[in-house]
Every structure is written in structure tokens, then in C-alpha cells.
Amino acid sequence: MPEKLVEVKDVEISFGEGRKKFVAVHNANFFINKGETFSLVGESGSGKTTIGRAIIGLNDTSNGEIIFDGKKINGYLSHSEKNDLIRRIQMIFQDPAASLNERATVDYILSEGLYNFHLYKDEEERKAKIKEIIKEVGLLEEHLTRYPHEFSGGQRQRIGIARSLVMQPDLVIADEPISAFDVSVRAQVLNLLKKFQKELGLTYLFIAHDLSV
Ligand SMILES: Nc1ncnc2c1ncn2[C@@H]1O[C@H](COP(=O)(O)OP(=O)(O)OP(=O)(O)O)[C@@H](O)[C@H]1O
Ligand SMILES: [Mg+2]
């Protein structure tokens, strides 16, 4: 029996108040079973990123429910519930040029979530995790001491993927993760995402413009 990991029920997301209120998402309804890839496809401005951001808690909802692993996650949550979700739901962003901290080394970028959530026993274990994930995404250990501007767009997106996956999430929201790339890099990034899904049993919400992707 497939098990639902996330369910979006009658969700409305609006910006602004009163006469300035703008409803960006009306009545969204869908669910994603564990281990599946669910694609959200639509034209620019249709509210795809807005829904993704609501699931990770960066946008408030004005109506409806978002259920994750059996619990409602929009609205009030305790500090520890929030922390748990930040780890379990990760997002890969549309624009790898804008989503990495330019002043941090790759080592720091990949470790930040581990530091924040104490997801390692000691320094040795942290280093081992980082070294493993950097290789898994097809980069090298010596890349860890470099800064984002020293990488190509495709490599930066690999860093973005590594940053999400090192948290061992259950759900990954991939917001047009390949739209910035040419065809050969697109295929590489998609294959990488597929590989991780198989190995780690990840569930994906995959946002795209284009059905063929
Ligand atoms: N913080 C915000 N404040 C006001 N309006 C917003 C905000 N975020 C998004 N919107 C509006 O919500 C609508 C949906 O935007 P969203 O970014 O979700 O679209 P999208 O489907 O992801 O588009 P694209 O394919 O271009 O990425 C747009 O009209 C946008 O202007
Ligand atoms: Mg978008």
C-alpha cells in the first residue's frame, strides 16, 4: 500500500492584506506517496515556487492544510517540530548562482545544516560525511576549500544538491533544478537526482516549466 508523505489540501496562499491582497495559489490539492516523484508543471507565475516555499515553511498559507508524514505542518509548530521539518524537507533552488553563500567555502556550505542541527558526533564524523557527499555528487575532496565563484553553473548545482542531501531528508523539493543549464548538464543533474532517489528512497516534488523534463 503506498503511503502518503505529503498532502496539500485546499491550500490558498496570498500576499498582502485588504485591497492589496493577491491570491497567488487558489485551492491547490495533491499528494505525494513515499518514494515517488511528483511533478508540478505550469507556466511562469502560476505559483509553483510559492507552493514549494509553503511546504518548507517559507510562505504562510491563508487557507487549507499541508500534511507531512501524518501531521499538519502549516500554522503553529513548536521549535523542535520546526527543526525536525527543516532537516526532513530540503529544497534545491532554481538558480544555483543565487542560492549559495559566496563568502563561504564549500566545506562550510555543506556543513552548515549539520552544525545547526548537531547531526554529527564529532569533527571526524562531520568531515567524513562532507567528503562522502562531495564525491557522491561528482566533485572532488579538494573542492571543499574553494568558494562558489570558482565553479561552473552545473558544479554549483551539484553543490546545492549535496547541501540538501547531506541532511538525509525525506522530501526534496527540486525547483526547476536544471532550468539554468544546457542540455548535457541537464541530463547529468537529472541522472544524479535519479541515482539518489534510488539509493536513499527519496521523495521528490519536482517543479518544472516543461512536461518533457
Ligand atoms: N513574496 C511575494 N510577494 C508578493 N507576490 C509574490 C511573492 N512571491 C510570489 N508572488 C507572486 O505569486 C505569483 C506566483 O509566483 P511563483 O514564483 O510561485 O511562480 P512560479 O510558478 O514559480 O513561476 P516561474 O515558473 O517563473 O518560477 C506571481 O504572480 C508572483 O509575483
Ligand atoms: Mg518558480
Side-chain angles (χ1 to χ4, degrees):
M1 232 334 240
E3 224 181 306
K4 282 179 194 168
L5 182 62
V6 62
E7 188 167 14
V8 169
K9 279 175 152 172
D10 302 325
V11 163
E12 179 189 282
I13 304 166
S14 53
F15 298 104
E17 301 271 317
R19 280 201 304 141
K20 286 199 182 135
K21 179 172 161 175
F22 168 69
V23 181
V25 173
H26 298 263
N27 217 15
N29 283 283
F30 61 86
F31 64 87
I32 314 176
N33 288 324
K34 283 188 181 162
E36 272 185 3
T37 298
F38 182 90
S39 294
L40 199 53
V41 180
E43 63 194 48
S44 187
S46 58
K48 305 180 297 295
T49 297
T50 300
I51 291 176
R53 287 173 55 90
I55 296 172
I56 58 167
L58 289 175
N59 282 335
D60 290 334
T61 51
S62 39
N63 220 330
E65 290 191 327
I66 301 175
I67 315 281
F68 179 75
D69 208 9
K71 271 204 253 172
K72 179 173 182 288
I73 59 166
N74 56 332
Y76 177 79
L77 293 174
S78 71
H79 187 68
S80 74
E81 285 170 324
K82 265 187 206 155
N83 275 350
D84 189 47
L85 291 172
I86 296 174
R87 190 194 66 71
R88 294 182 65 192
I89 309 179
Q90 288 286 314
M91 191 147 172
I92 298 169
F93 293 93
Q94 198 158 3
D95 180 3
S99 64
L100 302 177
N101 178 354
E102 290 297 326
R103 290 196 287 185
T105 60
V106 173
D107 186 292
Y108 184 81
I109 290 169
L110 298 185
S111 302
E112 197 169 19
L114 301 179
Y115 292 136
N116 289 341
F117 298 96
H118 311 290
L119 297 177
Y120 57 100
K121 247 190 356 266
D122 49 27
E123 191 50 18
E124 204 176 325
E125 188 182 283
R126 180 192 68 82
K127 280 192 184 143
K129 281 191 179 197
I130 298 298
K131 283 180 189 169
E132 187 188 332
I133 197 76
I134 193 94
K135 287 183 213 150
E136 286 279 352
V137 298
L139 296 173
L140 305 169
E141 218 179 295
E142 57 249 41
H143 288 145
L144 289 171
T145 54
R146 300 200 193 159
Y147 292 86
H149 74 266
E150 299 174 66
F151 295 91
S152 70
Q155 288 174 322
R156 282 162 170 271
Q157 195 57 305
R158 289 169 188 270
I159 298 168
I161 292 170
R163 174 179 60 180
S164 317
L165 297 184
V166 77
M167 301 296 280
Q168 299 183 290
D170 299 319
L171 174 67
V172 175
I173 300 174
D175 188 2
E176 308 206 38
I178 59 169
S179 60
F181 308 124
D182 62 35
V183 175
S184 65
V185 178
R186 285 180 171 211
Q188 287 170 18
V189 172
L190 288 183
N191 287 335
L192 199 59
L193 290 172
K194 270 194 200 158
K195 177 185 97 153
F196 285 122
Q197 182 168 45
K198 228 178 173 178
E199 287 174 7
L200 306 171
L202 297 172
T203 305
Y204 286 135
L205 172 59
F206 193 94
I207 298 177
H209 259 96
D210 173 357
L211 265 180
S212 69
V213 169

